[in-house]
Amino acid sequence: MDQTAGMRPLSLARRRWARLAVAFLFFLNGVLLATWAARIPAIQTHLALAPAILGSVLFSGAAGALAGMSGGGYLAARYGSRRIVILATLSLCLMLTLVAVAPSLPLLIASVALLGASSGAMDVSMNTQGVAAERLYGQPILNSFHACYSLGSLAGSLRGGLIAGYGIPLLPHFSGVALAGAILTLCCIPALLPSSHDQPAGERTGEAGRGVRFARPSRATLALGLIAFCSLFGEGAMADWSALYLNNNLHSGAGLAPIGYAIFSVMMMTSRGLGDALTARVGAALMVRLGGLLAASGLTLVLLSPWLVLALCGFVLIGCGLSVTFPLTLSAAGRLAGQGQATSTALAAVATCGYTGLMAGPPTIGFVASFVGLRLALGIIILLSLSISLLAGATEDQAPSTPQSLYPQIAREGNKAASSASSTEDL
């Protein structure tokens, strides 16, 4: 079915502006969250938080993020993703500033929970905008948005570390980033896609949004959620345990121990930048299947290698493998719209599964490692990566048979629309 039918056609320039606006939101989300993460040690020192207490603060943020994803998906389906992504982004900027001025532990926990909820709502609504832009383009572009998030995380972390090194207090740091982010977000409003583009034809947000309900997830949604869980489980475990493994098991030394995760992160960002072009050639299912196999092969190399250099090559493969699986899973979830579920709620369900894996990964590895050692515990990720490959067929649930274009009919209609549409559309 032509999913662009019934929409007012948008010119090529208008679609490009929409793509740039969505890319900026992904970049800003990475910057804001990395800014908070980079200054956690300063917050801990400021309020003299014990490690266990700091853990409860971080947990409140994670719980808030999961709640924000579910609530954000519902609100985006009811009121449109453009409204919700703007409100959520502005709320995230505000909450970042409130975290900097929280004078006590209860207020800090509340601020961090609201920070997480704002981030979760922003995550779902900006991915809904990304899926809508991908639908208009008629080709895979969601990986490029997630590459922008990775780039924003890198920029926020480096800038946060530099500012922390100069001893700049939290309030001017956080408020400066938040103010700049809020101003630029408001500038993005005209470029974002209206709510009429959130859903494929026949499932307009305006028609279905008022009767939004949390539908029972389909088998396809459950399969995509499981892929997302396995993918982000591996990402979370790499973030928390890779340096410890290199230091304790391969005796890399404290100076070289973090290089494994650094390589993993750089390859994640690079591969996401290239992932859309490759997906357009070979199809989403094959990309996810190869990604799972690459991640499993890379971690096997890391765990069996007696040499540090060879293990670092394994981190290259893990980063390449896990880079595209989550974005392609979200893209597939967006294509489930029109089967009794709004785009945003389908994305919320899959994203919630994924971020549950992100939270569950590090403690699960630690618990298992206490019984069988870290090397065998990390083997869990190999099994989960192989599971990704086995479930990869779920990502092609609505893909055409030819791999050269995931949305060939949409692309043809989009080109016709671009040639006939006015350069000034009403939003």
Side-chain angles (χ1 to χ4, degrees):
M1 181 181 68
D2 177 12
Q3 295 179 342
T4 62
M7 294 183 186
R8 182 172 183 178
L10 299 181
S11 68
L12 181 60
R14 177 66 177 85
R15 284 183 281 159
R16 285 175 175 170
W17 278 112
R19 182 174 182 176
L20 287 174
V22 176
F24 169 75
L25 290 177
F26 273 83
F27 176 83
L28 180 60
N29 186 261
V31 168
L32 292 173
L33 294 182
T35 297
W36 141 252
R39 301 305 301 270
I40 289 176
I43 294 172
Q44 181 182 22
T45 302
H46 174 64
L47 293 179
L49 302 177
I53 300 299
L54 179 61
S56 66
V57 172
L58 298 179
F59 178 79
S60 71
L66 292 180
M69 286 176 190
S70 297
Y74 173 83
L75 292 173
R78 185 174 180 85
Y79 300 108
S81 63
R82 181 167 69 170
R83 293 179 183 176
I84 303 306
V85 76
I86 293 299
L87 292 175
T89 305
L90 294 177
S91 176
L92 182 57
C93 293
L94 176 62
M95 292 306 118
L96 184 66
T97 304
L98 291 182
V99 166
V101 298
S104 62
L105 177 61
L107 290 177
L108 177 64
I109 290 177
S111 299
V112 172
L114 291 174
L115 180 83
S118 301
S119 176
M122 181 182 177
D123 188 284
V124 171
S125 51
M126 72 185 183
N127 272 292
T128 303
Q129 282 278 313
V131 168
E134 184 177 71
R135 191 181 294 126
L136 285 175
Y137 263 76
Q139 63 186 37
I141 60 172
L142 201 62
N143 267 300
S144 66
F145 295 140
H146 285 262
C148 290
Y149 169 82
S150 299
L151 183 61
S153 297
L154 179 62
S157 298
L158 293 176
R159 187 175 185 274
L162 184 64
I163 289 176
Y166 280 101
I168 297 176
L170 287 171
L171 183 57
H173 178 195
F174 282 13
S175 61
V177 173
L179 180 61
I183 293 173
L184 292 173
T185 298
L186 293 175
C187 294
C188 285
I189 293 178
L192 291 173
L193 294 171
S195 59
S196 59
H197 289 267
D198 284 354
Q199 294 290 103
E203 292 287 335
R204 295 279 74 78
T205 304
E207 299 169 4
R210 304 185 188 282
V212 170
R213 68 189 191 283
F214 291 106
R216 181 179 180 181
S218 64
R219 293 177 61 183
T221 304
L222 292 175
L224 293 173
L226 187 54
I227 294 175
F229 177 90
C230 295
S231 179
L232 293 195
F233 186 104
E235 285 191 39
M238 287 295 100
D240 285 22
W241 291 103
S242 58
L244 191 65
Y245 176 80
L246 291 180
N247 187 55
N248 294 352
N249 293 68
L250 293 184
H251 311 291
S252 65
L256 289 177
I259 197 172
Y261 184 66
I263 291 174
F264 170 82
S265 300
V266 170
M267 294 311 301
M268 285 275 290
M269 181 175 64
T270 304
S271 298
R272 281 176 171 173
L274 300 173
D276 291 326
L278 292 175
T279 303
R281 285 183 171 272
V282 304
L286 183 56
M287 283 291 289
V288 172
R289 186 169 291 113
L290 291 176
L293 292 176
L294 272 179
S297 301
L299 189 56
T300 300
L301 183 61
V302 169
L303 299 182
L304 297 182
S305 172
W307 304 297
L308 177 62
V309 173
L310 198 57
L312 295 180
C313 293
F315 281 103
V316 171
L317 297 178
I318 301 171
C320 291
L322 293 181
S323 62
V324 299
T325 53
F326 185 58
L328 289 179
T329 301
L330 292 179
S331 180
R335 298 198 300 276
L336 291 176
Q339 298 184 6
Q341 195 169 21
T343 298
S344 55
T345 54
L347 289 173
V350 173
T352 299
C353 291
Y355 287 105
T356 299
L358 187 68
M359 290 193 303
T364 300
I365 295 297
F367 177 77
V368 176
S370 65
F371 293 96
V372 299
L374 184 56
R375 189 189 300 270
L376 289 179
L378 289 173
I380 295 173
I381 305 173
I382 297 177
L383 298 178
L384 294 181
S385 298
L386 293 175
S387 299
I388 291 174
S389 293
L390 292 175
L391 294 167
T395 60
E396 65 175 358
D397 186 70
Q398 295 199 357
S401 57
T402 56
Q404 280 69 28
S405 173
L406 292 180
Y407 313 93
Q409 180 63 26
I410 302 172
R412 289 195 294 270
E413 294 296 327
N415 291 332
K416 293 178 183 177
S419 63
S420 61
S422 169
S423 59
T424 57
E425 287 82 8
D426 295 330
L427 299 181

